[in-house]
Amino acid sequence: MCTMSVEKWGLFEVELTGPTEGNPFVDVQLSAEFKNGDTTIKAPGFYDGDGTYKIRFMPSVEGEWSYASKSDSSALDGQTGSFTCTAPAEGNHGPVRVRNQHHFGYEDGTSYFSFGTTCYAWVHQGDALEEQTLKTLETAGFNKLRMCVFPKDYIFNKNEPEYYPFEKQGDGWDFSRYDIAFFHHLEKRVAELGALGIEADIILFHPYDRWGYAKMAHEEDYAYLRYVVARLAAYRHVWWSLANEYDFMLKDKPMEVWDHFFEIVQENDPYDHLRSIHNGNVTMNYDHTKPGVTHVCVQNWDVKRMREWRDAYGKPVIDDECEYEGNILRNWGNITARELVHRYWICIVYGGYAGHGETYEHPEDILWWSKGGVLVGESWPRLKFLRGIVEEGPAEGIEPFAGSFPWGRTAGGGCGNYRLIYFGEHQPKRFGNGLPEEGRYEADVIDTWEMTVETLGTFEGQEPIELPGRPGLALRIRPVEG
Amino acid sequence: MCTMSVEKWGLFEVELTGPTEGNPFVDVQLSAEFKNGDTTIKAPGFYDGDGTYKIRFMPSVEGEWSYASKSDSSALDGQTGSFTCTAPAEGNHGPVRVRNQHHFGYEDGTSYFSFGTTCYAWVHQGDALEEQTLKTLETAGFNKLRMCVFPKDYIFNKNEPEYYPFEKQGDGWDFSRYDIAFFHHLEKRVAELGALGIEADIILFHPYDRWGYAKMAHEEDYAYLRYVVARLAAYRHVWWSLANEYDFMLKDKPMEVWDHFFEIVQENDPYDHLRSIHNGNVTMNYDHTKPGVTHVCVQNWDVKRMREWRDAYGKPVIDDECEYEGNILRNWGNITARELVHRYWICIVYGGYAGHGETYEHPEDILWWSKGGVLVGESWPRLKFLRGIVEEGPAEGIEPFAGSFPWGRTAGGGCGNYRLIYFGEHQPKRFGNGLPEEGRYEADVIDTWEMTVETLGTFEGQEPIELPGRPGLALRIRPVEG
């Protein structure tokens, strides 16, 4: 007898054969209970076409697990089995969780500092471009990707996708029947991100649509959510983003519907993956204090407000659209690389996180922000450099300094005697604020654009430190060891 | 018999001889009524030392004027005379007034677009430096100067002034006796600014003081205000700034005292010169809706809020301290030249005005922002260039476009079919928002740093205009003539 095994936080899949008549997506209820000692976890199953049903499970405890299926179809009910959950492989740190109130960490305790980018519709571009996107992501330095389930209809996005999420019905769609090829393809791409160590920030709804997916009936939305969650929740690197720009869909999906979406996702995801939602208009932040929201997503160019959002919501904040590097006509997509690097640093030093995107005009409309492909801008290597700086810093993450003077003008934060002060458009020849009051410390000046770190020596007391006096610099203070 | 004459908005001065006993500053009341036809204006007089009393008057109507003095001293009472008010000389446009709600204009109807700089304590630096400052101002392109009456004690400002505003009394001062040499010197410098066409934005109080001038009794403050106003109000180019950073003085001068200062200035100034007051902390804007305030002064780095201030106060707004170009350790004084030019453009295009200052470290602590001298930075020629752009534009001034998208991200404003769109950190390759719906227009791209204007041709309709796609550009739209 061969014992099946799966690594901790890996994906274990039970495959069953069941009824094909009627509409199995609607007619058949399926789940399974997975047990390890006192732990019992109920995981939802789903129909995978051609009489195949699946239940996916992500074990988070090593050792022996058993399971038993439950279904209103006798062919699927009471199926049992067992497997061994082994130690996680190298590089597998489990799902990302909220940690230290305003920060994140992997479940195994490893720090996770979110450096995300955006390729909304990358899984709808065909294999050649999608594989190029993966190749780019392999070395780009990002560890999260915002991506939509549904294809995108928008400026620069007029191409038809290869797959559609629902089965065709005449000229339209049967919103109660999911297209299996679509989801197999989606899952393949999601899994490939996981293999690269990139969290998949799955956007479940968005307004940019010509197929009708943005205007389904609420019950169809609910069923779709349950189906997607049943399929994807066992991937440890999945995050749920309820929407891109939910506020542009309020006419069809009023606020209470969004609230209910959060409930459905939370109820159907046994692993409690991170959940948030992304606004369009800067005045329309979702009420991220709601209990179903694990962390804050905002779209806002005004990154100096980061501390305000942290305080208002008391959760980790990602400004995942602080405008994109690019040159298109829309002003959310035409800031300079320097400006994006600048905004990113401000978010980080103020104790938050930011998001990257690239929107340069392209002769074939292949813009990274939506379709992926290659990165042509200049911000991404600087953000990779910044990620390195942050990962060398305190594991707990950076907490911003309080107060309006000087920290409303110059971004400063730290953790213990570790300090990171980002001057940006300020170019002091010397600086004394925010230095530790006691102890001996080492000061480095970081050129955020040139990506250099220059050690200024060691210091004691709060005498102002001499600086080069040019823009785009940061000052890093670390206690001298020993 | 010789008839005296003075140009319209010129300074006519009546000089009388009166009592020297006691304290003439306190003991003697003096004023005069000036009449021209139905117009009667009462102007305050003041003691000018050595038994000399003066009444200054700025006529704003051409023709024959007569006057009669009033005093509780018989030697000064009932003195009469007459003079002719002639047409204003070239370059004399009268005092600056509020116009078109959010803008300014000279009394003769000429537009006045405020491009101010700051030399707080320049009149306290001795003749050599003061004359150098005037020489610099002659060609620097600024048309307003923020300057304090009192000397300044602060970082970089430890030198003693040559003159003090009050007579010495033992180790201290007699706050009821003004130093005549001090005021003669002040007036000379004020007059020299006038000759350069520069408005003197006279700061009446400020907190940076080691002599006790910031902590006089309220009655002493009131008397000082009446004296300064009596001396200076007849200079057509004087503006009253009640304070630099009034909020840092609230412990000694609570809010009702500031309100009363406004009343005193207003009551004693027959010409109703512009009046405002400057905050220190960004949360402490004065309530500029108060009726004595003619225009808004704010200190705020966050210039993208300009439209908010315009709306909140309904008056012209000058962000006269949006941080200074420089490299000193304080972060209000170390932004790059590019950043200051950027902020200035944003203020202008959003229908407001801004202020310049320079704070570069100097081996002898001669920083322009306080002491004057020479300009060493790179923003001032760009602001002069911007002033030229604005003066070529609509006489009524620029009104900002409303709404958050796209105008919360990209500054845009105009007047009729004249449009000025400032992209700043945005670098679109084409742009279509804010173009006139009808008519044929000419489009120019302005490089705000390189100070170039390139004509892109003429356009019709709202097709996006192609742009160079680099930062720091503005787009100017003007109707094609004829």
Side-chain angles (χ1 to χ4, degrees), chain A residues 93-128:
Chain A
H93 302 292
V96 172
R97 306 294 186 191
V98 171
R99 189 168 83 174
N100 191 19
Q101 187 175 7
H102 289 106
H103 297 281
F104 300 101
Y106 290 103
E107 194 168 308
D108 77 348
T110 305
S111 292
Y112 173 82
F113 302 106
S114 180
F115 279 77
T117 185
T118 310
C119 301
Y120 283 127
W122 79 283
V123 299
H124 303 293
Q125 305 306 322
D127 284 342

Side-chain angles (χ1 to χ4, degrees), chain A residues 44 96-97 144-147 149 183 186 190 199-205 224-244 261-262 264-278 288 292-297 320:
Chain A
V96 172
R97 306 294 186 191
K144 183 170 79 70
L145 183 67
R146 296 176 67 228
M147 55 179 281
V149 174
F183 281 97
L186 174 67
V190 168
E199 303 292 300
D201 198 356
I202 305 284
I203 298 169
L204 295 163
F205 294 99
Y224 153 77
L225 282 179
R226 285 189 292 265
Y227 189 73
V228 173
V229 172
R231 294 199 71 109
L232 291 178
Y235 292 86
R236 66 175 171 271
H237 63 293
V238 159
W239 301 23
W240 307 118
S241 178
L242 270 291
N244 179 35
F261 287 173
F262 270 98
I264 289 173
V265 171
Q266 191 165 10
E267 281 166 19
N268 286 272
D269 171 4
Y271 320 106
D272 203 30
H273 285 291
L274 293 170
R275 290 175 302 274
S276 193
I277 187 167
H278 177 95
H288 296 286
V293 182
T294 56
H295 64 288
V296 178
C297 287
D320 43 23

